[in-house]
Amino acid sequence: MKLLLSFVSALSVVAGLTALPAAAQIPAEPPLATSSNVHVLSHVPGSAAGMNFKDHYAFVSGWGGITVLDIAKADSPKPVGALPLPHFENEDVDLCGNVLLVVNDREAKDLGSILYVVSIANPTSPSVLAVLPLGLTGSGRGSGHIANFVKPDCSQAWLDGGDHVEVIDLTNPAAPRSVGKFESAASMSDNFKVSHDTELDSTGTVWNVGGGGAAGYKLTSDPLAPQLLGTTGDAGRNPSPYNDFILHNSQRRGKSLLVTEEDYIDTDEVPPGGCRGQGKFETWDVSGLKSGTITPQDTWETELNGMFTGGAVDSKAPVTVNCSSHWFDAKNNVAAVGWYEQGVRFLSYRTPTDIQQVGYYIPANGSTWAAYWSPTDPNGEIVYTADAYRGVDVLKIDGGGTTGKKVKAPVRSEWFGTQASETSSFSSSFQSHPTFGFICPVLKADVSSP
């Protein structure tokens, strides 16, 4: 989750995918770094925040609305439709049956949130069925950052982003109505009281994540009183080693709950920004859910974290302003994780207590918000990115990453703005600024030039 207000101005200049050309193309610039088993196949320029799939179509959310891609040929998606919508930012567009949900974020308190209910019965011509204003009381922190279906029959959705989860009745998609709010255990943090995302797993468990960690629920006859099955407890609650901002989104795979922790700009930090902490990809053991316990197994973060402070958990890493784990998609024991300006990281969780990077892709001039496995690739090797700056990159990882070896991405010296060779040490010439740390490095006293 981005800080819901401060990021608006930063992205207001980014155009939506609605102005796409007729076909995908190869990117003009090579990636900054890519592992030998990851290949760039094609590129759809524009801007993208999230993506979801039905049949051989991908529905891509961006700041200009929804763009529809035909992915019948998985390695060469083609734009075939669009629905312009004024909204920010709907990074996790959700769909169920012939209905797709788009949410406009709150501007302040609970003002500005709008739910768009969109028909995708004709997938190449999506159309608005209904518009539901949310909040409008002028108090509290309103929902509206993300909407997710929580029933397989598409009749109910949870809206996150606020201090309470808002429940929407979609029995009649053309006439959605809010049935009220409830306080999620996943929002319960004195530091940052917010829920962020909801996922319905194959067992019927509804997972909610946020500032208070992760919580598993079972729906009841009362939509405002779901049964709490278990939580990550103090271990997952901000502040903790596993949650310095929010637990961002989750997917359950077997006995493990896969989670990204986001910490891309924490305003409590001095100074805010950079890659402090940068968030993590995490595995949590849910085998004890019947007794209400969810316990941490392992975490992984990129090579940038702690490179000048011996791997300290909350160090200030340079190079990028905007890097943190974000939206991911997992299958066959490999997660494709969007990591903002650190691209896509392919992480094997075959052994949940030992997460290993088996591939990476760091694009030039990119901010990768999400990565998704293509549902139309019979070989399970193709991944689509949703990139705020670039649009959609189409990647192939050999063997779907299942045959990949443990790899480490480079951190090149020229990324720090020096003229040194790739093998020289940045820290031999520079030291941290006394106030701003390595976000503003200064020459050491005995060094006249880098």
Side-chain angles (χ1 to χ4, degrees), residues 325-341:
S325 56
H326 207 227
W327 293 102
F328 72 93
D329 192 18
K331 75 171 190 177
N332 296 332
N333 296 311
V334 177
V337 188
W339 217 285
Y340 285 135
E341 292 175 14

Side-chain angles (χ1 to χ4, degrees), residues 369-431:
W369 282 31
Y372 305 88
W373 293 100
S374 170
T376 56
D377 173 26
N379 298 319
E381 296 180 314
I382 291 179
V383 165
Y384 305 128
T385 71
D387 195 295
Y389 303 160
R390 298 173 54 80
V392 176
D393 284 336
V394 182
L395 311 177
K396 175 186 174 183
I397 179 168
D398 297 340
T402 59
T403 59
K405 305 297 184 181
K406 184 177 180 180
V407 294
K408 185 177 181 180
V411 181
R412 302 186 186 279
S413 59
E414 62 264 31
W415 295 354
F416 301 97
T418 76
Q419 299 300 314
S421 69
E422 292 183 11
T423 58
S424 67
S425 171
F426 177 83
S427 58
S428 66
S429 299
F430 290 95
Q431 61 187 355

Side-chain angles (χ1 to χ4, degrees), residues 33-39 358-361 396-398 404-405 407:
T34 182
S35 56
S36 61
N37 60 338
V38 175
H39 318 279
V358 294
Y360 56 85
Y361 164 74
K396 175 186 174 183
I397 179 168
D398 297 340
K405 305 297 184 181
V407 294

Side-chain angles (χ1 to χ4, degrees), residues 298-371:
D298 196 19
T299 66
W300 188 92
E301 51 202 338
T302 73
E303 297 78 7
L304 279 174
N305 189 65
M307 60 183 301
F308 295 118
T309 55
V313 171
D314 203 27
S315 65
K316 175 70 71 178
V319 184
T320 60
V321 173
N322 187 1
C323 68
S324 177
S325 56
H326 207 227
W327 293 102
F328 72 93
D329 192 18
K331 75 171 190 177
N332 296 332
N333 296 311
V334 177
V337 188
W339 217 285
Y340 285 135
E341 292 175 14
Q342 280 294 291
V344 178
R345 305 307 179 107
F346 294 92
L347 305 178
S348 172
Y349 56 91
R350 181 177 300 277
T351 303
T353 55
D354 184 23
I355 301 168
Q356 296 192 358
Q357 180 173 245
V358 294
Y360 56 85
Y361 164 74
I362 307 175
N365 302 313
S367 182
T368 308
W369 282 31

